[in-house]
Amino acid sequence: FPFSLLLTLGCTVKYSGYLGNWNKLFCSNGNSKYPRLMKLGKDITLWGLEIGLLSMTKGEAALFVLTPEYAYGQRGCPPSIPPNTMVLFKVEVLDFIDSEECDAFFELTYEQQDRLPLEKVLKVAATEREFGNYFFYKQHFKIAKDRYKRALSILGRSSCSKAEQSQINASKLLLFLNLSLTYLKLERADRALKYGELALEMDQGNAKALFRCGQACLYMREYSKSRDFLARAQCIQPFNRDINNELKKL
């Protein structure tokens, strides 16, 4: 496997490390409800564990027996790991996100970024959005917000064709909707309304954007505006339970 892969893969894993014959636990994150995203080669540096993780797929669980040369070497890691010790790891891969293209993109100047093919720019934006989604579902809303905004920041190309602009707008629309919901979670209804309205500028009939705007206005006690947004959303999706429940709440 290429060594460059180690520095570009972010993963979330549940792990437990043992000495000897599974009889002495020396490290674990098993009690963490939301394990953090870690980068191979940076946060995870145990050679045998890196090799093992690169052989796994999302959702897979595995047991690894690491001899000293693939673990803590002849010196060990006192006081937890004695010298020249074989260790055992129980690992479950929860998720993988490859950040190679994102990392390379943000090392470029703005002029270099602007000259890249649109396909690559959209892929970087999609990966940043994927990172945002990951942190959102882990309820790290501030980090998710920053990743969504980072994705937006690269979609402002200085010149492009009508067809390219249509692709950019489709990517922006998803980010506006993500940011609107994220700001609702952060109890910043004014910002949620702003991004919901930006989404509506691109797609006036977007039921999700209308719903987000209605939620934001309801939170701010602007009941008339909330009813207008929610009623328009209901016209588009009359059997949507969330929209109908929000109207009942209103």
Side-chain angles (χ1 to χ4, degrees), residues 80-92:
S80 301
I81 316 294
N84 206 36
T85 300
M86 183 173 67
V87 296
L88 311 168
F89 272 93
K90 181 179 181 181
V91 178
E92 180 184 358

PDB file of all heavy atoms in Angstrom, residues 80-92:
ATOM      1  N   SER A  80       3.388   1.239  30.993  1.00  0.00           N
ATOM      2  CA  SER A  80       2.288   0.370  30.567  1.00  0.00           C
ATOM      3  C   SER A  80       2.759  -0.842  29.778  1.00  0.00           C
ATOM      4  O   SER A  80       2.239  -1.956  29.951  1.00  0.00           O
ATOM      5  CB  SER A  80       1.288   1.170  29.711  1.00  0.00           C
ATOM      6  OG  SER A  80       0.775   2.263  30.436  1.00  0.00           O
ATOM      7  N   ILE A  81       3.731  -0.639  28.876  1.00  0.00           N
ATOM      8  CA  ILE A  81       4.154  -1.708  27.970  1.00  0.00           C
ATOM      9  C   ILE A  81       5.583  -2.122  28.293  1.00  0.00           C
ATOM     10  O   ILE A  81       6.517  -1.332  28.115  1.00  0.00           O
ATOM     11  CB  ILE A  81       4.097  -1.252  26.496  1.00  0.00           C
ATOM     12  CG1 ILE A  81       2.811  -0.485  26.199  1.00  0.00           C
ATOM     13  CG2 ILE A  81       4.274  -2.445  25.561  1.00  0.00           C
ATOM     14  CD1 ILE A  81       1.556  -1.290  26.287  1.00  0.00           C
ATOM     15  N   PRO A  82       5.806  -3.344  28.761  1.00  0.00           N
ATOM     16  CA  PRO A  82       7.177  -3.817  29.028  1.00  0.00           C
ATOM     17  C   PRO A  82       7.983  -3.912  27.736  1.00  0.00           C
ATOM     18  O   PRO A  82       7.422  -3.952  26.642  1.00  0.00           O
ATOM     19  CB  PRO A  82       6.960  -5.200  29.652  1.00  0.00           C
ATOM     20  CG  PRO A  82       5.536  -5.212  30.093  1.00  0.00           C
ATOM     21  CD  PRO A  82       4.796  -4.333  29.141  1.00  0.00           C
ATOM     22  N   PRO A  83       9.300  -3.954  27.838  1.00  0.00           N
ATOM     23  CA  PRO A  83      10.149  -4.110  26.639  1.00  0.00           C
ATOM     24  C   PRO A  83       9.844  -5.396  25.884  1.00  0.00           C
ATOM     25  O   PRO A  83       9.471  -6.411  26.478  1.00  0.00           O
ATOM     26  CB  PRO A  83      11.567  -4.144  27.215  1.00  0.00           C
ATOM     27  CG  PRO A  83      11.457  -3.448  28.538  1.00  0.00           C
ATOM     28  CD  PRO A  83      10.096  -3.793  29.065  1.00  0.00           C
ATOM     29  N   ASN A  84       9.976  -5.309  24.561  1.00  0.00           N
ATOM     30  CA  ASN A  84       9.901  -6.488  23.698  1.00  0.00           C
ATOM     31  C   ASN A  84       8.617  -7.309  23.938  1.00  0.00           C
ATOM     32  O   ASN A  84       8.654  -8.517  24.118  1.00  0.00           O
ATOM     33  CB  ASN A  84      11.137  -7.378  23.920  1.00  0.00           C
ATOM     34  CG  ASN A  84      11.436  -8.218  22.698  1.00  0.00           C
ATOM     35  OD1 ASN A  84      11.247  -7.764  21.565  1.00  0.00           O
ATOM     36  ND2 ASN A  84      11.900  -9.432  22.912  1.00  0.00           N
ATOM     37  N   THR A  85       7.476  -6.609  23.898  1.00  0.00           N
ATOM     38  CA  THR A  85       6.205  -7.247  24.250  1.00  0.00           C
ATOM     39  C   THR A  85       5.273  -7.367  23.046  1.00  0.00           C
ATOM     40  O   THR A  85       5.125  -6.421  22.274  1.00  0.00           O
ATOM     41  CB  THR A  85       5.479  -6.416  25.340  1.00  0.00           C
ATOM     42  OG1 THR A  85       6.314  -6.358  26.491  1.00  0.00           O
ATOM     43  CG2 THR A  85       4.146  -7.053  25.716  1.00  0.00           C
ATOM     44  N   MET A  86       4.655  -8.523  22.915  1.00  0.00           N
ATOM     45  CA  MET A  86       3.608  -8.725  21.919  1.00  0.00           C
ATOM     46  C   MET A  86       2.298  -8.160  22.480  1.00  0.00           C
ATOM     47  O   MET A  86       1.986  -8.356  23.654  1.00  0.00           O
ATOM     48  CB  MET A  86       3.441 -10.213  21.610  1.00  0.00           C
ATOM     49  CG  MET A  86       2.415 -10.515  20.531  1.00  0.00           C
ATOM     50  SD  MET A  86       2.410 -12.272  20.054  1.00  0.00           S
ATOM     51  CE  MET A  86       1.786 -13.017  21.574  1.00  0.00           C
ATOM     52  N   VAL A  87       1.552  -7.434  21.626  1.00  0.00           N
ATOM     53  CA  VAL A  87       0.272  -6.860  22.083  1.00  0.00           C
ATOM     54  C   VAL A  87      -0.854  -7.359  21.189  1.00  0.00           C
ATOM     55  O   VAL A  87      -0.637  -7.792  20.056  1.00  0.00           O
ATOM     56  CB  VAL A  87       0.306  -5.319  22.092  1.00  0.00           C
ATOM     57  CG1 VAL A  87       1.324  -4.805  23.089  1.00  0.00           C
ATOM     58  CG2 VAL A  87       0.570  -4.769  20.702  1.00  0.00           C
ATOM     59  N   LEU A  88      -2.051  -7.279  21.703  1.00  0.00           N
ATOM     60  CA  LEU A  88      -3.256  -7.722  21.002  1.00  0.00           C
ATOM     61  C   LEU A  88      -4.229  -6.554  20.912  1.00  0.00           C
ATOM     62  O   LEU A  88      -4.439  -5.844  21.898  1.00  0.00           O
ATOM     63  CB  LEU A  88      -3.910  -8.882  21.755  1.00  0.00           C
ATOM     64  CG  LEU A  88      -2.982 -10.022  22.172  1.00  0.00           C
ATOM     65  CD1 LEU A  88      -3.675 -10.951  23.157  1.00  0.00           C
ATOM     66  CD2 LEU A  88      -2.546 -10.815  20.951  1.00  0.00           C
ATOM     67  N   PHE A  89      -4.833  -6.351  19.747  1.00  0.00           N
ATOM     68  CA  PHE A  89      -5.797  -5.274  19.567  1.00  0.00           C
ATOM     69  C   PHE A  89      -7.114  -5.823  19.022  1.00  0.00           C
ATOM     70  O   PHE A  89      -7.132  -6.604  18.071  1.00  0.00           O
ATOM     71  CB  PHE A  89      -5.263  -4.214  18.609  1.00  0.00           C
ATOM     72  CG  PHE A  89      -4.463  -3.138  19.276  1.00  0.00           C
ATOM     73  CD1 PHE A  89      -3.083  -3.256  19.378  1.00  0.00           C
ATOM     74  CD2 PHE A  89      -5.085  -2.017  19.819  1.00  0.00           C
ATOM     75  CE1 PHE A  89      -2.340  -2.268  19.996  1.00  0.00           C
ATOM     76  CE2 PHE A  89      -4.348  -1.033  20.444  1.00  0.00           C
ATOM     77  CZ  PHE A  89      -2.967  -1.141  20.536  1.00  0.00           C
ATOM     78  N   LYS A  90      -8.167  -5.392  19.650  1.00  0.00           N
ATOM     79  CA  LYS A  90      -9.517  -5.657  19.160  1.00  0.00           C
ATOM     80  C   LYS A  90     -10.028  -4.355  18.554  1.00  0.00           C
ATOM     81  O   LYS A  90     -10.089  -3.335  19.231  1.00  0.00           O
ATOM     82  CB  LYS A  90     -10.417  -6.109  20.310  1.00  0.00           C
ATOM     83  CG  LYS A  90     -11.837  -6.443  19.908  1.00  0.00           C
ATOM     84  CD  LYS A  90     -12.622  -6.901  21.138  1.00  0.00           C
ATOM     85  CE  LYS A  90     -14.057  -7.263  20.768  1.00  0.00           C
ATOM     86  NZ  LYS A  90     -14.823  -7.692  21.971  1.00  0.00           N
ATOM     87  N   VAL A  91     -10.361  -4.377  17.259  1.00  0.00           N
ATOM     88  CA  VAL A  91     -10.651  -3.145  16.525  1.00  0.00           C
ATOM     89  C   VAL A  91     -11.952  -3.287  15.739  1.00  0.00           C
ATOM     90  O   VAL A  91     -12.226  -4.335  15.144  1.00  0.00           O
ATOM     91  CB  VAL A  91      -9.506  -2.814  15.541  1.00  0.00           C
ATOM     92  CG1 VAL A  91      -9.833  -1.568  14.743  1.00  0.00           C
ATOM     93  CG2 VAL A  91      -8.192  -2.624  16.280  1.00  0.00           C
ATOM     94  N   GLU A  92     -12.753  -2.214  15.733  1.00  0.00           N
ATOM     95  CA  GLU A  92     -13.929  -2.133  14.870  1.00  0.00           C
ATOM     96  C   GLU A  92     -13.888  -0.808  14.121  1.00  0.00           C
ATOM     97  O   GLU A  92     -13.776   0.253  14.736  1.00  0.00           O
ATOM     98  CB  GLU A  92     -15.224  -2.226  15.680  1.00  0.00           C
ATOM     99  CG  GLU A  92     -16.473  -2.150  14.825  1.00  0.00           C
ATOM    100  CD  GLU A  92     -17.756  -2.136  15.634  1.00  0.00           C
ATOM    101  OE1 GLU A  92     -17.676  -2.232  16.881  1.00  0.00           O
ATOM    102  OE2 GLU A  92     -18.838  -2.014  15.030  1.00  0.00           O
TER     103      GLU A  92
END
